[in-house]
Amino acid sequence: MQLKTMPKKKPLSAGRAPLFLFLCQMISALDVPLDLVQPPTITQQSPKDYIIDPRENIVIQCEAKGKPPPSFSWTRNGTHFDIDKDPLVTMKPGSGTLVINIMSEGKAETYEGVYQCTARNERGAAVSNNIVVRPSRSPLWTKERLEPIILRSGQSLVLPCRPPIGLPPAIIFWMDNSFQRLPQSERVSQGLNGDLYFSNVLPEDTREDYICYARFNHTQTIQQKQPISLKVISVDELNDTIAANLSDTEFYGAKSSKERPPTFLTPEGNESHKEELRGNVLSLECIAEGLPTPVIYWIKEDGTLPVNRTFYRNFKKTLQIIHVSEADSGNYQCIAKNALGAVHHTISVTVKAAPYWIVAPHNLVLSPGENGTLICRANGNPKPRISWLTNGVPVEIALDDPSRKIDGDTIMFSNVQESSSAVYQCNASNKYGYLLANAFVNVLAEPPRILTSANTLYQVIANRPALLDCAFFGSPMPTIEWFKGTKGSALHEDIYVLHDNGTLEIPVAQKDSTGTYTCVARNKLGMAKNEVHLEIKDPTRFIKQPEYAVVQRGSKVSFECKVKHDHTLIPTILWLKDNGELPNDERFSVDKDHLVVSDVKDEDGGTYTCAANTTLDSVSASAVLRVVAPTPTPAPIYDVPNPPFDLELTNQLDKSVQLTWTPGDDNNSPITKFIIEYEDAMHEAGLWRHQAEVSGTQTTAQLKLSPYVNYSFRVMAENSIGRSVPSEASEQYLTKAAEPDQNPTAVEGLGTEPDNLVITWKPLNGFQSNGPGLQYKVSWRQKDGDDEWTSVVVANVSKYIVSGTPTFVPYLIKVQALNDVGFAPEPAAVMGHSGEDLPMVAPGNVRVSVVNSTLAEAHWDPVPPKSVRGHLQGYRIYYWKAQSSSKRNRRHIEKKILTFQGSKTHGMLPGLQPYSHYVLNVRVVNGKGEGPASADRGFHTPEGVPSAPSSLKIVNPTLDSLTLEWDPPSHPNGILTEYILKYQPINSTHELGPLVDLKIPANKTRWTLKNLNFSTRYKFYFYAQTSVGSGSQITEEAITTVDEAGILPPDVGAGKGKEEWRKEIVNGSRSFFGLKGLMPGTAYKVRVGAEGDSGFVSSEDVFETGPAMASRQVDIATQGWFIGLMCAVALLILILLIVCFIRRNKGGKYPVKEKEDAHADPEIQPMKEDDGTFGEYSDAEDHKPLKKGSRTPSDRTVKKEDSDDSLVDYGEGVNGQFNEDGSFIGQYSGKKEKEPAEGNESSEAPSPVNAMNSFV
């Protein structure tokens, strides 16, 4: 057959769309030829972080391809960059690359910013990364005066570098005035910050030119710090005079020069933290001081350091881990140790990650009507956010495309048209960076074309893979077919491998693979083909290769190297020494096949390699040269033995022979043993196998032989140096044939069809055949019958099929070996079975007993054994939840399967859903499959307890009520009878109050709790019930609101007659009002009225307050606001007393008395009927400041002497308001709104809750 390929597909379970999707993804891997219409593709751009040399012109690269050729535009710092207005900026022709000419005039700093390039044509727009352009900087060191440093020997020291901050950062190193690097060691080393650390100083550290240098590579400049002078004095060498002239303060530091345990110079403390980004180099540093000099060790707590990525720098003071990943996070510990002790420091390392691609989007080429997808999948730490753009515009505000659907990191296309062509940008970003990828969707209808050059010649070495290219393009995706030869000979899939890109692979190319191959690409728009040619070459191999040599100094040695190669290839021979070039010495000479070394010297010892290379392959072989010293007398040569010789066969019998040999020279090391090998020239020519081993003192061996083997023997000698090369082979000895002495193993009988018996065995090898004409006698008969054995003799095979057998009948089987001489011993019989067939009978008397609401037990009667017609593997129960006809049409019924092994006749059905109707049937199972199903048997599971309500939330909290809303249980598991609500208050110390139970009808999903305590937290426990019991509960907590205003208690108690109405004006935007000062156990009538353009409307309700409570849940005396308020009142009273005392002393009139005279009526004034406002109110007994309804002057101001209370205390800041009569209403009004109008009828009934919480 011809070999036909499309891109390899995995089995798909969902429809055709994923198949189209996959095909389109395959074509996306192919480049669209530039002569076809296509959107722009960015091919080259400057790096994201672009540091420029301020001494050179700025070049910002942006190259793109497309058809038609794209046009380019730039933005700078997010706005359009008009290059035509800047004479220093030009764009290269046919390119988007900007050239900014700052060498003639202008400064690089002027053009710092964030640049982005857009390449656009009629098919879309591609954008570059944000390119941050910054000029490099190499600032000078600030001038400073550095005092000489004088230290005692043994003290520690840190010489600061503190280089200027440049861009990019400078490379730091310490040198002297002669530009020689200062020596560093475990005692003296440079830190990562550039400082020079001395664990302890010595007199030889004295010098006046410790200079820190900063090299700025970008500008090729080096900046120098002022030299630092250091003098180290040995205290033991100071005489009394010098010591008298130096005070203690003249010494740098106060540490003793005595020996001391380590302490860390850097980092400080016992712990520190280090954060690094994934993929970077993690550098951890610990530098310690001490005497003697400490040694640094590194460990990772709860882990090991990665072997291939860990490096130690700076004398193990710096630990570096390359290509760091999230797995490298953890605690690293550095240990500084000397003879006097040790110190530890723990560095906590956290590895974060800038976004990195998991699946980057790729270009899509689709034909009209096809489907496709773009996938943009990235990871990072923290998780990056994925956003899409189309043609550089966020997809949320781009033109709508009906063929496009966005789902997170995936865009799916369906039924695309030419207008669907566009360039999509995917941006994955987190706080550490971003990734931006362009991927176009190009809708084309294009016949196939082959992109591989015609008549390409491929040359391959024999027995190696051959890859024949067939790069192609087309839309829709073409199929690829390969033919061999001009007549189109068939290619078989078991020999060839077809790759997704059209490449044909020959895994093992042979000589007969040579020829012409034709690649054919087809789609619905046309066909294209191309021919390539394949030649197979002989491999290069060694005929003679260099051998191990031991030579004396001053002598000559020669290595030989001969190769055989394909006659059409020209090899080159290259000699190497220790994997490097040969020494440039005339003593080494190379001719065609030899390397000769004359006058051998000690340094000539090593490994010599001969490498033979052709244009297609290469081979190499090596040998070791050992150079030894010459001696006046011949030195003993210690080497492997010379091979034995003069092999002779005697005492030749049918199954044994005696082998005799002469040992070779032992080369001054006694022979310890001889190894004998044999070759079977008849069955395994060229393969030598181990026969026997004998002591090194023996020269003969009696060898056991097998019949019908053409033996040859060889012997090797072994000593302490090694093993000799094999001896020459002995003469051949053919043993006589005999009958087989063993039978085949692994005999089995197993039918593959209901009417056959397949007998298999492991055949004997040629060595075991013992003679020519190896065959097998296969015998069989039914085990339970009286039939005679049926036998057949077959050739040297491993299988025989008996046809026409009854279904699943036990058979006795024998397989006996025989050859031309006779039969092997009688074999033992093994039992097998003829083929199985599907069971004929379904299990009967199926019955179900329900154990509980989720468990049932099925019982059935076993089927007759003969009806099984195979090995009984068990019984299989299919059961499913019955659906109504309407539900069955909507979705497929999910059937569950349970298999019970062996002959069990009952089984448990777990995981049932309560209060459901189930159907089951039972089938018997054998090795062939399932039998017929039993009749369906239905059963009902009883009710169970329900699951928890799906949700519970608290809405509309007020002073004394909370409203609960919930969703019924997702699994009622029966008929819900009611809901149970339990709740209890929680005080400020988190103690639980008394628990209240409440039953709610099952048809409710909302419930309002009244008469609750204000500003109190409640905990709710809510669950549903069926007749079986209560289900799982759901809990929630909520707080009633805090009261902000109160009313005075009535003068007349309940039942004493008709009370006068008390009235409060409430802001029209509010929906509740709290009543305070009510008497416990008293009935109240509440009226809510609203006044507007349509008049005044009102509604009434009656409620009764609850009984008096012993205590409240909230202890007000412990509240901060209450304590503050009491303090303020006390302070105010104190001020008033002082003012009164002063005024009485002056004979003045107390303001409160003036109020008493002005307002003689102490009672509450009746409500005015004309405007609905309150009358005036004052307290004639104690003259306390008025809390509300206070009289004010006509100019609506409150004078200080009239009231010491601020209006802000009663309202919300400066937004307090007054009625027309001057009464203050700011406490319940926010911003000024239109007052409600009165009316006789209400167009909308007020909420009962609002009516309860509003007072008129």
Side-chain angles (χ1 to χ4, degrees):
M1 68 173 181
Q2 65 191 26
L3 189 59
K4 182 176 181 180
T5 182
M6 290 188 68
K8 293 182 179 178
K9 303 180 285 291
K10 295 182 179 180
L12 296 171
S13 59
R16 296 177 60 189
L19 176 60
F20 291 142
L21 176 68
F22 194 85
L23 295 181
C24 298
Q25 287 175 325
M26 290 301 103
I27 200 170
S28 69
L30 303 178
D31 287 334
V32 181
L34 281 176
D35 62 332
L36 297 179
V37 175
Q38 58 186 288
T41 300
I42 301 288
T43 58
Q44 192 174 4
Q45 57 183 311
S46 293
K48 292 180 181 179
D49 192 6
Y50 187 24
I51 300 175
I52 60 172
D53 190 335
R55 302 167 300 182
E56 299 177 354
N57 287 338
I58 303 172
V59 179
I60 311 176
Q61 290 185 328
C62 180
E63 305 289 342
K65 65 178 182 178
K67 181 73 173 185
S71 60
F72 296 88
S73 61
W74 285 85
T75 61
R76 179 185 174 195
N77 298 328
T79 60
H80 177 67
F81 184 34
D82 191 349
I83 63 175
D84 295 332
K85 293 183 178 180
D86 192 332
L88 300 182
V89 182
T90 58
M91 185 183 295
K92 290 184 178 181
S95 164
T97 298
L98 294 182
V99 179
I100 305 175
N101 185 8
I102 62 171
M103 295 183 67
S104 58
E105 59 177 308
K107 295 183 178 180
E109 290 79 5
T110 307
Y111 294 95
E112 280 193 72
V114 181
Y115 293 78
Q116 188 173 40
C117 169
T118 301
R120 186 184 309 274
N121 68 9
E122 64 187 25
R123 290 254 164 168
V127 298
S128 70
N129 292 320
N130 285 331
I131 303 170
V132 180
V133 176
R134 296 182 295 169
S136 63
R137 299 180 179 91
S138 51
L140 297 175
W141 240 292
T142 56
K143 291 187 176 180
E144 55 184 337
R145 182 177 180 181
L146 301 176
E147 297 294 335
I149 299 172
I150 303 175
L151 291 179
R152 295 186 181 95
S153 177
Q155 288 185 284
S156 64
L157 173 66
V158 180
L159 296 182
C161 179
R162 301 190 187 96
I165 299 175
L167 185 69
I171 298 173
I172 306 301
F173 50 94
W174 289 80
M175 294 195 298
D176 57 16
N177 274 330
S178 301
F179 294 99
Q180 299 297 315
R181 285 187 179 268
L182 296 177
Q184 298 190 20
S185 63
E186 290 184 345
R187 185 178 62 86
V188 182
S189 61
Q190 176 183 317
L192 294 176
N193 63 353
D195 294 349
L196 191 63
Y197 293 85
F198 294 77
S199 296
N200 49 77
V201 295
L202 298 176
E204 56 261 34
D205 295 326
T206 298
R207 64 189 312 141
E208 297 180 349
D209 55 352
Y210 284 96
I211 306 174
C212 181
Y213 289 86
R215 184 175 68 219
F216 297 92
N217 283 343
H218 211 80
T219 55
Q220 296 298 310
T221 57
I222 296 178
Q223 306 293 353
Q224 171 184 334
K225 184 184 178 76
Q226 290 294 323
I228 301 175
S229 174
L230 171 64
K231 184 175 183 180
V232 180
I233 302 176
S234 174
V235 178
D236 296 334
E237 296 177 357
L238 291 177
N239 55 38
D240 295 337
T241 304
I242 299 175
N245 293 330
L246 291 173
S247 66
D248 291 339
T249 57
E250 292 179 277
F251 287 93
Y252 182 87
K255 292 189 177 179
S256 171
S257 60
K258 296 181 180 180
E259 292 188 348
R260 59 190 181 277
T263 59
F264 282 114
L265 296 173
T266 183
E268 298 178 351
N270 296 326
E271 296 180 351
S272 59
H273 180 75
K274 174 78 171 181
E275 184 176 287
E276 192 55 79
L277 289 182
R278 179 181 186 269
N280 288 354
V281 177
L282 172 66
S283 295
L284 306 178
E285 180 181 59
C286 283
I287 300 178
E289 65 90 16
L291 190 66
T293 302
V295 179
I296 303 294
Y297 302 92
W298 291 90
I299 61 172
K300 183 180 182 184
E301 298 178 5
D302 301 327
T304 57
L305 296 171
V307 177
N308 297 325
R309 297 186 291 113
T310 301
F311 301 93
Y312 297 99
R313 311 292 186 199
N314 197 17
F315 308 97
K316 294 196 72 174
K317 299 176 186 178
T318 302
L319 171 70
Q320 285 189 342
I321 301 177
I322 63 174
H323 308 305
V324 69
S325 67
E326 289 86 341
D328 296 316
S329 296
N331 291 332
Y332 293 78
Q333 192 176 94
C334 61
I335 305 164
K337 182 184 296 185
N338 67 7
L340 278 71
V343 64
H344 305 255
H345 183 91
T346 300
I347 305 175
S348 176
V349 174
T350 302
V351 178
K352 299 292 186 178
Y356 57 91
W357 290 121
I358 297 175
V359 179
H362 297 288
N363 294 337
L364 275 181
V365 179
L366 306 173
S367 64
E370 282 191 318
N371 304 333
T373 187
L374 288 177
I375 298 176
C376 176
R377 199 156 293 154
N379 203 356
N381 184 11
K383 185 76 174 177
R385 184 177 66 88
I386 302 295
S387 59
W388 289 96
L389 301 89
T390 176
N391 297 326
V393 178
V395 73
E396 294 81 6
I397 62 175
L399 293 176
D400 188 38
D401 184 353
S403 67
R404 178 183 66 214
K405 180 181 179 183
I406 301 177
D407 184 10
D409 59 8
T410 303
I411 302 182
M412 292 166 285
F413 300 91
S414 59
N415 192 25
V416 297
Q417 303 302 321
E418 185 175 341
S419 61
S420 303
S421 297
V423 183
Y424 288 85
Q425 290 82 33
C426 171
N427 185 298
S429 60
N430 65 13
K431 64 187 289 186
Y432 297 106
Y434 73 94
L435 295 172
L436 179 68
N438 291 274
F440 66 63
V441 176
N442 196 14
V443 181
L444 292 174
E446 193 69 23
R449 61 172 70 182
I450 305 295
L451 306 179
T452 300
S453 301
N455 296 314
T456 301
L457 175 63
Y458 296 91
Q459 295 180 329
V460 178
I461 296 296
N463 299 318
R464 294 188 182 180
L467 297 173
L468 308 182
D469 293 332
C470 181
F472 62 92
F473 180 81
S475 182
M477 180 73 169
T479 61
I480 302 299
E481 299 170 323
W482 278 94
F483 301 89
K484 182 181 179 184
T486 57
K487 297 182 179 180
S489 58
L491 302 183
H492 299 283
E493 294 186 38
D494 56 346
I495 301 177
Y496 301 91
V497 177
L498 260 294
H499 292 274
D500 297 338
N501 60 0
T503 297
L504 175 68
E505 178 182 355
I506 306 172
V508 182
Q510 304 290 342
K511 281 290 188 178
D512 57 3
S513 301
T514 300
T516 299
Y517 292 80
T518 303
C519 167
V520 179
R522 291 188 177 90
N523 69 11
K524 64 182 181 180
L525 301 178
M527 179 267 287
K529 65 179 180 178
N530 186 42
E531 288 185 352
V532 296
H533 308 283
L534 176 63
E535 291 181 356
I536 307 301
K537 304 294 184 179
D538 291 325
T540 303
R541 58 187 178 87
F542 284 106
I543 300 174
K544 185 69 175 179
Q545 60 188 44
E547 296 180 349
Y548 174 78
V550 179
V551 298
Q552 294 181 356
R553 189 183 308 118
S555 60
K556 182 169 70 173
V557 66
S558 175
F559 293 105
E560 185 177 9
C561 179
K562 290 184 178 180
V563 295
K564 183 178 181 181
H565 56 89
D566 192 278
H567 69 281
T568 62
L569 302 177
I570 301 175
T572 57
I573 304 298
L574 178 65
W575 285 93
L576 305 172
K577 179 180 184 296
D578 298 328
N579 294 323
E581 294 183 356
L582 291 176
N584 186 15
D585 192 326
E586 60 183 9
R587 295 181 301 105
F588 290 80
S589 61
V590 178
D591 60 16
K592 181 179 180 182
D593 299 323
H594 292 82
L595 166 65
V596 178
V597 184
S598 303
D599 189 17
V600 174
K601 299 179 180 180
D602 289 338
E603 58 267 24
D604 296 334
T607 301
Y608 290 83
T609 302
C610 172
N613 303 291
T614 69
T615 55
L616 298 179
D617 67 344
S618 63
V619 292
S620 64
S622 300
V624 175
L625 171 63
R626 192 173 75 182
V627 181
V628 296
T631 57
T633 58
I637 300 176
Y638 296 97
D639 201 356
V640 298
N642 291 343
F645 55 94
D646 288 343
L647 274 63
E648 183 179 2
L649 297 177
T650 58
N651 297 336
Q652 298 175 351
L653 303 175
D654 290 345
K655 293 189 177 182
S656 68
V657 70
Q658 180 173 288
L659 176 64
T660 304
W661 63 90
T662 301
D665 191 347
D666 65 4
N667 290 328
N668 301 302
S669 178
I671 297 174
T672 57
K673 64 180 177 180
F674 292 99
I675 299 97
I676 304 170
E677 295 181 336
Y678 74 90
E679 175 197 29
D680 181 4
M682 183 182 302
H683 302 106
E684 297 176 327
L687 180 62
W688 290 88
R689 294 185 179 273
H690 183 270
Q691 174 74 27
E693 290 184 5
V694 297
S695 169
T697 59
Q698 291 183 225
T699 57
T700 62
Q702 194 72 27
L703 307 177
K704 293 183 179 180
L705 307 178
S706 294
Y708 198 58
V709 176
N710 194 9
Y711 283 99
S712 293
F713 299 96
R714 68 182 186 184
V715 183
M716 291 172 286
E718 187 173 298
N719 64 8
S720 60
I721 305 300
R723 183 176 294 184
S724 73
V725 297
S727 67
E728 295 292 333
S730 70
E731 59 180 304
Q732 292 186 346
Y733 175 50
L734 177 61
T735 57
K736 292 183 179 180
E739 66 275 1
D741 50 19
Q742 57 183 305
N743 284 302
T745 57
V747 178
E748 291 183 349
L750 185 66
T752 58
E753 298 295 337
D755 60 349
N756 75 2
L757 172 65
V758 179
I759 302 171
T760 59
W761 59 90
K762 182 180 178 181
L764 305 179
N765 58 35
F767 190 81
Q768 296 168 328
S769 64
N770 289 358
L774 178 63
Q775 294 178 300
Y776 300 100
K777 178 184 178 183
V778 183
S779 304
W780 67 93
R781 71 174 177 87
Q782 291 190 23
K783 178 178 179 295
D784 300 327
D786 298 331
D787 297 343
E788 297 293 330
W789 286 93
T790 302
S791 301
V792 64
V793 176
V794 298
N796 187 13
V797 294
S798 61
K799 179 173 69 174
Y800 182 76
I801 300 176
V802 181
S803 302
T805 62
T807 300
F808 196 65
V809 173
Y811 278 84
L812 294 177
I813 303 165
K814 296 188 295 186
V815 180
Q816 185 179 23
L818 67 149
N819 58 21
D820 293 347
V821 178
F823 287 85
E826 184 69 19
V830 298
M831 191 175 77
H833 283 84
S834 58
E836 298 181 69
D837 204 349
L838 294 176
M840 295 187 298
V841 178
N845 193 20
V846 178
R847 51 208 182 278
V848 182
S849 58
V850 178
V851 178
N852 54 40
S853 60
T854 61
L855 181 66
E857 184 175 15
H859 295 261
W860 60 89
D861 292 343
V863 299
K866 290 187 177 180
S867 68
V868 177
R869 300 201 294 181
H871 294 285
L872 175 63
Q873 295 187 355
Y875 291 87
R876 188 167 293 160
I877 297 179
Y878 287 76
Y879 64 101
W880 61 94
K881 185 177 177 182
Q883 304 282 348
S884 65
S885 59
S886 60
K887 290 184 179 180
R888 249 191 326 266
N889 292 334
R890 286 199 300 266
R891 65 177 186 178
H892 178 68
I893 297 176
E894 180 183 358
K895 292 186 178 182
K896 297 184 179 179
I897 303 172
L898 287 176
T899 301
F900 299 92
Q901 303 293 332
S903 57
K904 289 187 67 173
T905 59
H906 63 89
M908 307 299 289
L909 308 180
L912 303 179
Q913 186 172 334
Y915 200 61
S916 301
H917 179 65
Y918 279 87
V919 180
L920 65 77
N921 57 49
V922 187
R923 313 171 193 212
V924 65
V925 182
N926 64 12
K928 190 72 173 178
E930 298 177 351
S934 67
D936 289 349
R937 176 71 62 184
F939 63 95
H940 291 271
T941 53
E943 286 191 85
V945 297
S947 62
S950 299
S951 66
L952 174 64
K953 57 184 178 181
I954 314 297
V955 298
N956 299 334
T958 67
L959 269 173
D960 62 350
S961 70
L962 293 171
T963 299
L964 285 71
E965 293 183 354
W966 64 88
D967 291 323
S970 57
H971 298 289
N973 295 337
I975 299 174
L976 297 182
T977 58
E978 60 187 358
Y979 291 100
I980 302 298
L981 173 64
K982 298 182 180 182
Y983 62 94
Q984 56 191 149
I986 308 174
N987 64 14
S988 60
T989 60
H990 302 287
E991 296 176 348
L992 297 175
L995 191 66
V996 179
D997 288 7
L998 181 63
K999 295 184 178 180
I1000 300 174
N1003 61 347
K1004 297 290 186 180
T1005 58
R1006 180 184 175 98
W1007 195 263
T1008 300
L1009 295 175
K1010 303 178 181 179
N1011 299 326
L1012 303 177
N1013 296 331
F1014 74 92
S1015 186
T1016 302
R1017 178 179 293 276
Y1018 285 87
K1019 186 166 186 179
F1020 299 91
Y1021 313 87
F1022 191 64
Y1023 54 89
Q1025 280 191 334
T1026 64
S1027 60
V1028 176
S1030 302
S1032 302
Q1033 71 178 14
I1034 184 172
T1035 63
E1036 187 58 84
E1037 293 186 14
I1039 305 176
T1040 54
T1041 58
V1042 180
D1043 186 18
E1044 296 181 352
I1047 62 172
L1048 294 177
D1051 291 340
V1052 182
K1056 293 185 180 180
K1058 184 176 181 180
E1059 294 283 344
E1060 291 185 351
W1061 288 95
R1062 281 174 291 162
K1063 183 175 181 181
E1064 288 289 346
I1065 304 300
V1066 180
N1067 189 345
S1069 63
R1070 299 188 59 174
S1071 61
F1072 67 91
F1073 180 75
L1075 303 180
K1076 292 184 61 178
L1078 303 183
M1079 298 184 63
T1082 305
Y1084 287 90
K1085 179 183 290 186
V1086 179
R1087 177 188 299 157
V1088 178
E1091 185 175 1
D1093 295 338
S1094 59
F1096 180 82
V1097 292
S1098 64
S1099 176
E1100 291 187 358
D1101 197 5
V1102 177
F1103 71 94
E1104 183 175 346
T1105 58
M1109 298 180 64
S1111 64
R1112 292 191 178 272
Q1113 296 295 324
V1114 180
D1115 187 1
I1116 193 171
T1118 63
Q1119 302 298 310
W1121 65 268
F1122 180 80
I1123 295 173
L1125 179 62
M1126 292 299 100
C1127 293
V1129 170
L1131 180 62
L1132 181 62
I1133 292 173
L1134 178 61
I1135 295 173
L1136 287 175
L1137 290 175
I1138 294 173
V1139 172
C1140 289
F1141 179 78
I1142 295 173
R1143 296 196 59 168
R1144 283 184 182 275
N1145 289 339
K1146 292 182 178 181
K1149 191 174 182 179
Y1150 190 56
V1152 175
K1153 181 62 178 175
E1154 293 178 358
K1155 284 191 175 184
E1156 292 176 353
D1157 296 338
H1159 307 290
D1161 188 3
E1163 300 297 323
I1164 302 175
Q1165 300 300 317
M1167 184 174 63
K1168 298 179 182 180
E1169 298 297 336
D1170 54 347
D1171 59 1
T1173 59
F1174 284 104
E1176 307 299 336
Y1177 172 78
S1178 66
D1179 191 334
E1181 295 180 6
D1182 57 6
H1183 306 287
K1184 293 181 180 179
L1186 301 181
K1187 290 190 176 181
K1188 49 180 167 286
S1190 301
R1191 178 180 298 275
T1192 60
S1194 59
D1195 61 355
R1196 299 189 179 186
T1197 62
V1198 179
K1199 297 182 179 179
K1200 181 173 180 63
E1201 58 269 18
D1202 290 337
S1203 173
D1204 287 323
D1205 290 337
S1206 169
L1207 292 181
V1208 180
D1209 295 336
Y1210 295 96
E1212 296 179 12
V1214 298
N1215 294 326
Q1217 301 175 27
F1218 296 85
N1219 278 348
E1220 292 181 356
D1221 64 348
S1223 59
F1224 179 65
I1225 63 170
Q1227 182 170 356
Y1228 293 108
S1229 63
K1231 297 181 180 179
K1232 188 172 182 180
E1233 298 182 14
K1234 185 176 180 181
E1235 293 186 0
E1238 287 190 3
N1240 296 326
E1241 294 181 0
S1242 174
S1243 61
E1244 181 178 355
S1247 166
V1249 177
N1250 295 338
M1252 292 285 289
N1253 290 281
S1254 301
F1255 186 82
V1256 177

